[in-house]
Amino acid sequence: QMRLLSQGKALDDAELDSILRGVGRGSSSAGARVATFPQGLLSERQVSRAASLMDFPTFKDLPARMTAEFDLWKTFMASALADQCIPQSPDSGNAKDDDVAVAWQNLLLLDALRPDRVVAGAKAFVSQVLGSHFLDVADPELAAVLDHAPKWQHSFVLTSTAGFDTSGRVEALSQTRGVTCSVIALGSPEGYEAAEKAISLASTKGTWVLLKNVHLAVDWLQQVDKKLHRMQ
């Protein structure tokens, strides 16, 4: 908001509140507008939230837009990537120099009708305000992290998004450096016993131990942490 203020493009307070706190949804006048939306397009809950959007000047003609471009709105409501096929207001075509306003209107629509795509819409808005590179986060180079770590640091914790296994990067790096790496999955008594033996052996030979599924062994990890400190 501060960046937009400096550019003379501050967001409307009521619209901002609708995103941050849900203020304005389900207003007293919304019920009278329900009947104006085309049938068969929105669920009852979506109709209510769409009606609340009409409190903002940009969406006063929302029912008429949905009726005139029914097929486009139907595609928007059904698409898995709804943020990429948002039907645009006729006025948005005249605002080529104000992509920020268009991105903000898109975010309001997604918040009301397709909340599953709000994150994508928010990223698009932030990119318009702060630049396309603002959200770019370079993947950490594992070798560089290892090389720049203090000599006393013996353990590292790696996390990843669902469906992506980072252990392959560790094993690849161990092969590149010619270091033996023992891979052990935690979650069973046998796994804990094997891990303790591997750690003891690695502490004397300088090899690596890769523990998988550590979220299943939080209490056990505390004991390992104390053991590693004693090995220093």
Side-chain angles (χ1 to χ4, degrees):
Q1 181 75 321
M2 293 180 66
R3 173 67 67 87
L4 292 174
L5 281 170
S6 68
Q7 299 173 353
K9 301 178 181 179
L11 301 176
D12 179 82
D13 288 341
E15 292 180 353
L16 185 58
D17 281 344
S18 76
I19 290 287
L20 298 179
R21 297 198 295 257
V23 175
R25 292 178 185 164
S27 64
S28 59
S29 57
R33 304 182 185 131
V34 169
T36 65
F37 287 91
Q39 295 292 320
L41 180 63
L42 308 176
S43 67
E44 184 177 347
R45 182 172 181 271
Q46 290 167 340
V47 166
S48 177
R49 295 185 69 165
S52 294
L53 277 179
M54 294 174 64
D55 288 336
F56 310 132
T58 305
F59 300 104
K60 287 288 186 183
D61 63 343
L62 186 58
R65 288 168 52 190
M66 288 184 172
T67 300
E69 300 178 318
F70 185 87
D71 289 341
L72 290 178
W73 285 95
K74 188 174 183 178
T75 298
F76 164 70
M77 295 304 302
S79 175
L81 300 175
D83 54 290
Q84 298 180 17
C85 59
I86 301 175
Q88 296 300 312
S89 165
D91 295 335
S92 63
N94 301 323
K96 295 180 180 179
D97 61 338
D98 196 1
D99 291 333
V100 171
V102 174
W104 177 246
Q105 293 168 17
N106 290 344
L107 180 56
L108 288 169
L109 271 173
L110 290 170
D111 182 57
L113 301 178
R114 289 297 304 270
D116 58 307
R117 300 303 299 171
V118 162
V119 172
K123 287 181 178 179
F125 174 68
V126 170
S127 294
Q128 287 294 338
V129 176
L130 299 176
S132 58
H133 300 298
F134 181 79
L135 295 175
D136 290 345
V137 179
D139 291 335
E141 184 59 43
L142 190 56
V145 171
L146 186 63
D147 291 339
H148 291 87
K151 292 183 178 180
W152 50 263
Q153 186 171 354
H154 300 293
S155 59
F156 300 85
V157 177
L158 284 75
T159 61
S160 62
T161 56
F164 183 78
D165 187 359
T166 58
S167 62
R169 297 175 61 181
V170 178
E171 295 179 73
L173 182 58
S174 70
Q175 293 177 2
T176 300
R177 299 200 168 189
V179 180
T180 301
C181 180
S182 300
V183 182
I184 300 170
L186 299 179
S188 67
E190 295 80 8
Y192 301 143
E193 182 179 352
E196 290 178 355
K197 290 181 179 179
I199 291 172
S200 296
L201 183 62
S203 67
T204 60
K205 293 191 174 184
T207 55
W208 294 1
V209 179
L210 174 60
L211 303 177
K212 305 174 79 171
N213 301 331
V214 294
H215 61 286
L216 301 176
V218 176
D219 293 336
W220 178 82
L221 282 178
Q222 296 177 1
Q223 301 175 23
V224 173
D225 186 54
K226 295 177 181 178
K227 185 175 182 178
L228 290 174
H229 280 290
R230 290 196 299 268
M231 291 179 178
Q232 295 182 20

